[in-house]
Amino acid sequence: MGSTRLMNNIYIVCDWIIRLLYLNLLWVFFTIAGLVIAGIFPATVAMFSILKGWLQEGKNERVFKSFWKVYKEEFGRANRLGIIVLIISIIFYTDWLFTNQLSGTLGMITKGVLLGSGFVFGITLMYAIPVYLQVDGKAFTTIKLAFLIGITYPHYTFIMMISIASLMLISFLLPMAGFFFFASGLGCVLTFFSMHLIRKIEERTKKMQKQGKSQLAIHN
């Protein structure tokens, strides 16, 4: 019995390794197919969609077909989100170049504000794609909700940051493992924590709505 359980666990681990490897290669291929700039966000959305199906819904569908379907359907909307992210990133970069020209107390204050804003923007990006899938690809709603979730649940955000740092360290120490697993591994971690948190928020919202309806019924 113990050996059967061990073999099942080994099978599950190997299955996930193969899944993540294949998904990572699809992400790389479709990112390059979109000439990187136009391909990275649709490919990332498709990857997160597959991961959501695996982790939350237990789907075991044909990966390439599902990836291609999401990639095509979300190409325009995902790139709209990408354009917003790119514009904000360019603004941060140009502001940083400007603050380097400043000196003294003013320079320190502006750099501090800019670094703090950049940190919050990074937190927002961690939740962006899982939230995007939840709100059906609405770009500005995605940014707003991802920002609110990131600052409202700092313990989840901290765990996700530690996970990202760990993956980056592993990729630095084992470059080949990083190449074959970094994107899908990162997506898996972010999807796992984000979907758990989003589900928790939805349950709390439904509970509050039921309580509100019951109180309204009592008053009536």
Side-chain angles (χ1 to χ4, degrees):
M1 178 134 181
S3 60
T4 303
R5 184 180 299 174
L6 177 62
M7 290 303 295
N8 286 336
N9 290 335
I10 293 173
Y11 172 79
I12 291 170
V13 170
C14 293
D15 181 54
W16 270 100
I17 289 173
I18 294 170
R19 284 187 185 193
L20 292 176
L21 172 61
Y22 183 45
L23 189 59
N24 198 87
L25 292 175
L26 285 178
W27 179 82
V28 171
F29 175 78
F30 279 97
T31 297
I32 296 173
L35 302 178
V36 180
I37 294 176
I40 188 167
F41 271 86
T44 303
V45 168
M47 180 181 69
F48 273 79
S49 177
I50 299 295
L51 288 167
K52 180 184 176 183
W54 288 347
L55 291 169
Q56 183 173 321
E57 301 163 10
K59 290 182 179 178
N60 193 19
E61 52 196 357
R62 296 174 65 181
V63 177
F64 184 88
K65 182 179 179 181
S66 300
F67 196 105
W68 173 234
K69 181 174 180 290
V70 176
Y71 185 87
K72 287 191 299 180
E73 291 177 350
E74 298 295 332
F75 192 86
R77 288 186 295 184
N79 275 310
R80 281 198 290 272
L81 177 63
I83 289 170
I84 294 173
V85 171
L86 179 63
I87 290 172
I88 295 174
S89 301
I90 291 172
I91 291 172
F92 273 118
Y93 179 70
T94 53
D95 285 349
W96 180 256
L97 293 178
F98 174 74
T99 56
N100 285 334
Q101 307 301 317
L102 300 176
S103 59
T105 305
L106 180 60
M108 291 178 61
I109 293 173
T110 52
K111 283 183 179 179
V113 171
L114 190 61
L115 286 172
S117 301
F119 179 73
V120 172
F121 179 59
I123 290 173
T124 302
L125 289 182
M126 290 195 305
Y127 291 95
I129 304 299
V131 171
Y132 171 94
L133 292 172
Q134 203 70 18
V135 298
D136 298 325
K138 298 173 183 175
F140 286 104
T141 304
T142 294
I143 297 295
K144 180 178 67 176
L145 289 179
F147 166 74
L148 291 174
I149 291 173
I151 62 173
T152 305
Y153 296 88
H155 49 297
Y156 277 90
T157 300
F158 179 73
I159 294 171
M160 289 167 71
M161 290 172 64
I162 293 296
S163 301
I164 293 171
S166 300
L167 283 171
M168 292 178 69
L169 178 61
I170 292 171
S171 298
F172 177 77
L173 296 174
L174 302 169
M176 288 300 292
F179 176 77
F180 286 113
F181 292 99
F182 182 75
S184 58
L186 179 62
C188 189
V189 169
L190 296 181
T191 300
F192 176 80
F193 287 109
S194 297
M195 290 299 104
H196 178 76
L197 180 54
I198 289 171
R199 188 164 59 249
K200 182 178 178 181
I201 294 171
E202 287 178 342
E203 289 173 356
R204 185 176 297 176
T205 302
K206 288 178 182 178
K207 186 177 179 181
M208 291 174 64
Q209 288 175 347
K210 287 181 180 179
Q211 288 177 348
K213 288 180 181 179
S214 62
Q215 288 178 358
L216 182 62
I218 291 171
H219 288 303
N220 289 338

